[in-house]
């Protein structure tokens, strides 16, 4: 099935550093969603974006809905050890309104104290 | 917290036996989904529902059936479990009240077919 191109696949950073990850698609999306998943748990919604150009923050997290509607990025500032986990982007294609999402493959983040 | 409860959370079953996973939501959302998550494949949609008794197939629906007799419950059934159905299963709901479809996931059901 269709997937989003999410990069990087993994990151190993020092505590306090900023992190950036992004997702791109060849299709236009209505909605971009960013999730974090810890081992043994379900994905937890971090940020939801609904309009092209929208920039939204949630604490140390900032995400943007690309102007072309084909991409989105997530930034984490001043990383801390509890930021460790897998981050997923997901998008709802503009061709439907059923909430059926297409997912990126995930970015695995490791933070060294 | 989107009020989603999955049961059972963990199950081991034998090949060929039927298995039913239950998803219960408390907030009257219209859309509900079942996904499976596997290494190398990410999250894939199995089936979804857009109302009571209204369901449709997702990307990987073979070997699975669903039922939704009440708004709050969405059941996923493996008619005859196979080892390839060993996976983590996530239920999700769509909240449409925030400018678009916002999808929230349950905590997952870990299924092992031996």
């Amino acid at each position: 099935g269709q997937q989003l191109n999410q990069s990087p696949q993994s990151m190993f950073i020092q505590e306090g550093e900023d992190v950036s990850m992004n997702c791109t698609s060849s299709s236009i999306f209505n909605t971009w969603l960013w999730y974090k998943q810890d081992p043994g748990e379900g994905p937890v919604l971090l940020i939801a974006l609904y309009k092209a150009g929208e920039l939204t923050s949630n604490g140390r997290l900032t995400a943007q809905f690309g102007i072309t509607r084909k991409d989105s990025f997530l930034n984490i500032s001043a990383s801390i050890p509890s930021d460790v986990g897998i981050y997923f982007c997901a998008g709802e294609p503009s061709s439907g309104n059923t909430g059926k999402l297409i997912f990126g493959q995930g970015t695995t983040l490791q933070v060294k104290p | 917290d989107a009020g989603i409860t999955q049961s059972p959370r963990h199950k081991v079953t034998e090949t060929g036996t039927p298995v039913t996973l239950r998803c219960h939501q408390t907030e009257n959302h219209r859309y509900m989904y079942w996904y499976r998550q596997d290494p190398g494949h990410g999250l894939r949609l199995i089936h979804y529902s857009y109302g009571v008794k209204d369901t449709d197939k997702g990307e990987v629906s073979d070997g699975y059936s669903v039922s939704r007799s009440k708004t709050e419950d969405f059941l996923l059934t493996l008619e005859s479990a196979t080892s390839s159905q060993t996976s983590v299963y996530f239920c999700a709901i769509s909240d449409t009240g925030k400018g678009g479809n916002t999808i929230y996931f349950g905590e997952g059901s870990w299924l092992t077919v031996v």
Side-chain angles (χ1 to χ4, degrees):
Chain A
Q2 184 181 359
Q3 284 189 326
L4 299 173
N5 297 315
Q6 184 172 349
S7 64
Q9 188 173 1
S10 63
M11 302 182 73
F12 189 90
I13 63 170
Q14 196 77 30
E15 181 177 1
E17 292 183 351
D18 297 341
V19 173
S20 184
M21 60 193 77
N22 69 83
C23 281
T24 61
S25 170
S26 57
S27 305
I28 292 173
F29 284 77
N30 287 337
T31 302
W32 283 96
L33 305 169
W34 284 93
Y35 296 89
K36 179 177 183 277
Q37 187 173 22
D38 293 325
E41 299 183 10
V44 175
L45 182 68
L46 299 174
I47 293 179
L49 303 161
Y50 305 110
K51 296 180 181 179
E54 181 179 357
L55 182 70
T56 297
S57 293
N58 178 9
R60 294 178 295 106
L61 279 62
T62 301
Q64 184 160 31
F65 193 140
I67 291 291
T68 65
R69 297 174 64 191
K70 294 182 179 180
D71 63 331
S72 177
F73 71 75
L74 174 71
N75 288 342
I76 305 173
S77 63
S79 58
I80 59 178
S82 63
D83 290 334
V84 166
I86 303 176
Y87 292 80
F88 291 98
C89 63
E92 181 186 18
S94 63
S95 57
N97 190 30
T98 58
K100 292 166 64 176
L101 300 179
I102 298 172
F103 287 88
Q105 285 282 48
T107 296
T108 300
L109 178 64
Q110 299 180 46
V111 180
K112 183 179 180 181
Chain B
D1 183 1
I4 304 170
T5 304
Q6 291 185 229
S7 60
R9 294 292 315 282
H10 299 272
K11 186 175 182 64
V12 180
T13 192
E14 293 185 349
T15 298
T17 61
V19 176
T20 295
L21 305 179
R22 179 182 182 238
C23 179
H24 179 78
Q25 57 133 336
T26 60
E27 299 185 3
N28 207 36
H29 294 292
R30 178 184 175 193
Y31 283 89
M32 299 183 74
Y33 313 83
W34 276 107
Y35 286 87
R36 61 178 290 175
Q37 185 177 38
D38 305 287
H41 293 281
L43 283 153
R44 294 180 292 175
L45 182 65
I46 305 171
H47 281 279
Y48 69 102
S49 169
Y50 45 95
V52 173
K53 298 186 179 180
D54 290 325
T55 65
D56 205 350
K57 296 179 179 180
E59 179 186 357
V60 289
S61 60
D62 288 348
Y64 301 94
S65 63
V66 290
S67 66
R68 191 161 178 207
S69 59
K70 299 184 292 184
T71 299
E72 58 266 35
D73 290 325
F74 192 31
L75 304 181
L76 177 69
T77 298
L78 290 64
E79 303 290 347
S80 178
T82 67
S83 59
S84 65
Q85 293 176 311
T86 292
S87 186
V88 184
Y89 292 87
F90 290 102
C91 175
I93 60 90
S94 176
D95 183 346
T96 58
K98 299 182 180 180
N101 285 312
T102 307
I103 311 301
Y104 295 91
F105 289 87
E107 295 182 331
S109 293
W110 273 253
L111 177 66
T112 301
V113 183
V114 298

